[in-house]
């Protein structure tokens, strides 16, 4: 996890393995290979935990 965005909230995750994706510059031209970044929304608009967050399997590690 590299960041938590308050609005959402959203977890920003960076892939830990060596798979890299090509990152385009502001004009869409391929420039470099970087680790893949994923954004996982924690709660939906109704306040329920999202399936993507639940799939991470981190609830068991969170204290009440």
């Amino acid at each position: 996890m590299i960041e938590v965005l308050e609005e959402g909230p959203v977890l920003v995750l960076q892939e830990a393995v060596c798979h890299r994706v090509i990152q385009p510059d502001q004009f869409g031209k391929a420039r470099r290979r970087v680790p893949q970044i994923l954004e996982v929304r924690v709660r939906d608009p109704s306040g329920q935990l999202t399936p993507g967050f639940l799939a991470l399997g981190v609830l068991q590690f969170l204290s009440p």
Side-chain angles (χ1 to χ4, degrees):
M1 180 170 46
I2 57 174
E3 190 170 2
V4 177
L5 304 176
E6 260 187 74
E7 191 171 318
V10 174
L11 300 179
V12 181
L13 308 172
Q14 181 176 331
E15 195 171 41
V17 293
C18 294
H19 297 109
R20 299 199 178 255
V21 295
I22 297 174
Q23 181 183 48
D25 64 11
Q26 63 185 357
F27 304 108
K29 295 183 180 180
R31 289 291 177 202
R32 63 184 181 153
R33 291 189 176 270
V34 296
Q36 186 172 2
I37 302 291
L38 304 169
E39 293 182 2
V40 179
R41 182 172 292 279
V42 177
R43 296 191 181 276
D44 65 17
S46 68
Q48 299 295 317
L49 295 174
T50 64
F53 178 74
L54 293 172
L56 293 174
V58 296
L59 285 181
Q60 63 186 342
F61 301 108
L62 300 176
S63 59

